[in-house]
Amino acid sequence: MKLRFSNTIDDIVALSDYNHEQSPTLRRARQRYRLTGAILASLLSFLLLTILLEPLSLSPLVLLLPLLYAAIFAWKSSRQYRRSVQEMVRQLYSEPGNRRLFTEHELEVVPEGLIVRTKYQETRLAWGAFERIEATADHTFLFIGSTTAYVLPNGRLNAGDLQQFLEAFRTYYVPDATLPPRATVPVPTPPVVRPPVVSPPETVTVVHGTKPWYLSDKS
């Protein structure tokens, strides 16, 4: 069963958004960002109030304003954080050097695993290389790591049927399976060709001369 598709930057952004929503580590990073920003916003607003107003005239109601401002900042910072991450991902993958990512991919399900082909490479993955399959309304993610996945655009396939592909994937999938060892083909050793040994020509010295006389020159 084969499937062909091409990815765009929007697909990579979708994977990034999904990871930031699902990954515990990335969620904690976003929460720290919101909490730190809210605390700083609260302290800054309280400092401005003490500068602009008489300290003794600060009513308890006025003192609630920094907390209200912190809550508003935390709510808005979540959306701002997501937009900043999306913009960073777009800029990163707009740089040169990503031709292998944005070319057409062909995935083929075979009993031993999955074969991934592009015009630049061919890769065989055993079933044990896949961690999980996740899906949204627009994408299906074949995870081969905690945040690394093949991104299948559900509505933009070049060839193949997504549901049939996933059924074949689940049919053959075996957790922790590895690729079978490849059969080694003996390479024949080429025969050693040695050059013929040529003996130097035999010489005879003339008694009444100084020039060697070669037998090969005899007439």
Side-chain angles (χ1 to χ4, degrees):
M1 182 62 198
K2 296 182 180 180
L3 201 67
R4 291 205 302 269
F5 63 94
S6 300
N7 284 135
T8 65
I9 293 182
D10 290 335
D11 299 325
I12 309 304
V13 171
L15 175 62
S16 175
D17 289 344
Y18 188 85
N19 285 330
H20 277 81
E21 292 295 330
Q22 302 298 324
S23 170
T25 301
L26 295 178
R27 285 204 307 266
R28 285 193 296 267
R30 183 179 58 188
Q31 291 170 357
R32 285 196 299 268
Y33 173 84
R34 295 173 58 186
L35 180 61
T36 302
I39 293 175
L40 292 177
S42 178
L43 293 176
L44 179 61
S45 60
F46 181 78
L47 180 62
L48 290 176
L49 286 175
T50 56
I51 294 174
L52 297 176
L53 301 176
E54 291 290 336
L56 297 179
S57 64
L58 295 178
S59 64
L61 184 60
V62 175
L63 293 178
L64 291 177
L65 291 178
L67 299 178
L68 178 62
Y69 183 72
I72 295 175
F73 179 88
W75 175 70
K76 294 185 65 175
S77 65
S78 179
R79 301 175 59 185
Q80 182 181 2
Y81 179 83
R82 181 176 181 178
R83 285 196 299 268
S84 64
V85 171
Q86 291 176 343
E87 183 62 26
M88 181 180 64
V89 171
R90 291 184 183 278
Q91 291 179 0
L92 179 63
Y93 286 95
S94 296
E95 297 175 356
N98 294 301
R99 65 177 66 181
R100 291 190 302 170
L101 181 62
F102 295 118
T103 189
E104 184 181 65
H105 286 65
E106 180 184 83
L107 306 184
E108 181 180 3
V109 174
V110 295
E112 297 80 13
L114 194 71
I115 301 177
V116 182
R117 299 186 183 93
T118 70
K119 61 183 179 181
Y120 301 110
Q121 65 182 12
E122 179 174 319
T123 305
R124 297 176 65 90
L125 296 172
W127 293 121
F130 293 91
E131 300 293 334
R132 64 191 189 279
I133 298 178
E134 304 286 347
T136 64
D138 299 320
H139 297 88
T140 299
F141 307 113
L142 307 180
F143 278 94
I144 56 175
S146 57
T147 58
T148 306
Y150 290 100
V151 184
L152 310 182
N154 296 344
R156 298 196 332 271
L157 299 178
N158 298 340
D161 183 271
L162 179 59
Q163 293 304 319
Q164 293 180 5
F165 175 84
L166 294 177
E167 290 176 4
F169 191 103
R170 296 187 181 97
T171 299
Y172 288 107
Y173 178 74
V174 178
D176 302 326
T178 59
L179 290 176
R182 290 188 177 183
T184 57
V185 179
V187 179
T189 304
V192 178
V193 179
R194 292 185 174 89
V197 178
V198 180
S199 302
E202 187 176 348
T203 63
V204 175
T205 304
V206 180
V207 175
H208 299 290
T210 58
K211 183 179 179 181
W213 176 66
Y214 291 92
L215 294 177
S216 58
D217 294 335
K218 291 180 62 178
S219 57

